[in-house]
Amino acid sequence: MVKEIERAGLPVVHMCTVTPISMTVGANRIVPTVAIPHPLGDPAETPAEEKELRRGLVEKALKALETPVDKQTIFEN
């Protein structure tokens, strides 16, 4: 699905915990997340810390959307 959306001209960021799967499905922009049961959060953190973690991941994804890529790219930091 990611490849088809990109083919239509819309950039896509695939946020996931298992980046090799994203590579296999052909995602061009990949942002690693926290853990399989909680990809965009960590219930062990305080609400404020979790909000900061989520905001950081979303900001990283937005930066990935703005970045031109010509091959599969994992946005680590």
Side-chain angles (χ1 to χ4, degrees):
M1 168 101 60
V2 171
K3 289 169 77 172
E4 292 302 316
I5 295 171
E6 290 241 350
R7 245 180 246 154
L10 298 169
V12 174
V13 174
H14 196 230
M15 299 176 74
C16 66
T17 55
V18 186
T19 56
I21 292 174
S22 294
M23 298 292 282
T24 301
V25 300
N28 285 328
R29 294 171 184 85
I30 303 165
V31 171
T33 57
V34 180
I36 291 173
H38 307 284
L40 294 177
D42 184 350
E45 301 289 342
T46 67
E49 291 168 329
E50 191 170 33
K51 182 178 179 181
E52 184 178 331
L53 172 65
R54 289 178 181 191
R55 179 179 210 95
L57 288 167
V58 170
E59 287 174 354
K60 189 183 302 184
L62 290 171
K63 187 161 192 83
L65 277 176
E66 296 174 344
T67 305
V69 296
D70 57 357
K71 62 181 173 102
Q72 291 182 302
T73 305
I74 297 176
F75 292 83
E76 295 286 348
N77 293 336

